[in-house]
Amino acid sequence: MKTVAVVLAAGSGSRMKSDVKKQYMELGGKPLIYYSLKAFEESLIDDIVLVVSRGDIDYVRNEIVNKYGFDKVTAIVEGGLYRYHSVRLGLQAADPDCDYAFIHDGARPFVDNDIILRALHGVKEYGACVVGMPVKDTIKIADDNGFAQTTPDRSKTWMIQTPQVFSYKMILDLYQRLDREEGELMAKGVNITDDAMVVEYFSDKKVKLIEGSYNNIKITTPEDIPAAEAILNGIKKG
């Protein structure tokens, strides 16, 4: 069994309102991307493919991968215009003999070995799984004018996180199909927002929901930084 983690760090981080791309912003004295790379480096994952912004390959190789000794990073590739382009490019750079692919947002620094193990067990049993957590708040579905339209059963709603984990050959095939049919999807107004949606849209495969962690937050806006610092301090004390 061979596994690869495709770690996405190609975003512009425009919502962070910073001159420094969010994946390189410091958290606890280390670049944000350091933490997810460290988690996969110290796990049972065999290879890591790191997807970065255009022009950042040398910087990331020298200042992050080599500096911190991430020996499992087998490839660093430039991402695409949208997230799903970056995922496909990362998958294509992996060892074609991989069995399972873990797709992870580098802006989620608090993935840990327990999450990785649960996801591995899930994908071995179901072939496709995503980590997440049940929502704590009531969710409303809005209409086009911003009025509450429906209220889904809270007990059946989850907030989805990463890693999202799949049979490698299946997810690569589906992403390559997405690439071929991208124009058609855009014409229909289909917005692909995560990897599970690719599986849901292009196959009949069911995606299993696996418990992640409420700490497994995504750093997106300036308001997320204090929360991340608090989580990191709690981990260090624990």
Side-chain angles (χ1 to χ4, degrees), residues 31-49:
L32 182 65
I33 188 64
Y34 162 88
Y35 295 96
S36 54
L37 290 175
K38 182 174 184 289
F40 288 114
E41 179 78 23
E42 296 178 351
S43 75
L44 47 69
I45 294 294
D46 295 298
D47 296 336
I48 301 170
V49 173

Side-chain angles (χ1 to χ4, degrees), residues 160-231:
I160 299 306
Q161 305 171 348
T162 64
Q164 303 194 8
V165 193
F166 309 91
S167 162
Y168 172 74
K169 289 179 174 57
M170 177 193 74
I171 196 64
L172 176 60
D173 287 346
L174 294 179
Y175 262 103
Q176 290 175 334
R177 180 177 172 185
L178 170 59
D179 183 55
R180 295 192 299 270
E181 300 183 18
E182 180 180 10
E184 181 182 336
L185 292 180
M186 293 180 71
K188 291 179 179 179
V190 177
N191 183 25
I192 300 293
T193 56
D194 78 340
D195 313 296
M197 190 174 175
V198 178
V199 176
E200 294 159 6
Y201 193 87
F202 288 111
S203 79
D204 296 327
K205 185 73 174 176
K206 288 188 176 182
V207 180
K208 180 66 173 177
L209 301 176
I210 302 292
E211 181 180 329
S213 167
Y214 289 114
N215 282 346
N216 188 23
I217 64 172
K218 186 177 182 181
I219 311 302
T220 304
T221 64
E223 293 78 15
D224 297 325
I225 297 296
E229 290 173 342
I231 293 170

Side-chain angles (χ1 to χ4, degrees), residues 3-76:
T3 56
V4 63
V6 176
V7 179
L8 305 172
S12 63
S14 58
R15 285 178 287 179
M16 189 57 72
K17 301 176 182 178
S18 170
D19 293 335
V20 179
K21 294 175 183 176
K22 68 178 179 182
Q23 54 266 39
Y24 310 138
M25 294 177 66
E26 283 201 358
L27 177 66
K30 301 283 196 313
L32 182 65
I33 188 64
Y34 162 88
Y35 295 96
S36 54
L37 290 175
K38 182 174 184 289
F40 288 114
E41 179 78 23
E42 296 178 351
S43 75
L44 47 69
I45 294 294
D46 295 298
D47 296 336
I48 301 170
V49 173
L50 184 53
V51 186
V52 302
S53 301
R54 182 168 297 179
D56 285 359
I57 289 179
D58 289 341
Y59 171 82
V60 170
R61 179 181 291 114
N62 295 326
E63 298 301 321
I64 297 176
V65 174
N66 292 342
K67 180 177 179 178
Y68 295 107
F70 292 129
D71 296 328
K72 289 185 179 181
V73 175
T74 57
I76 306 172

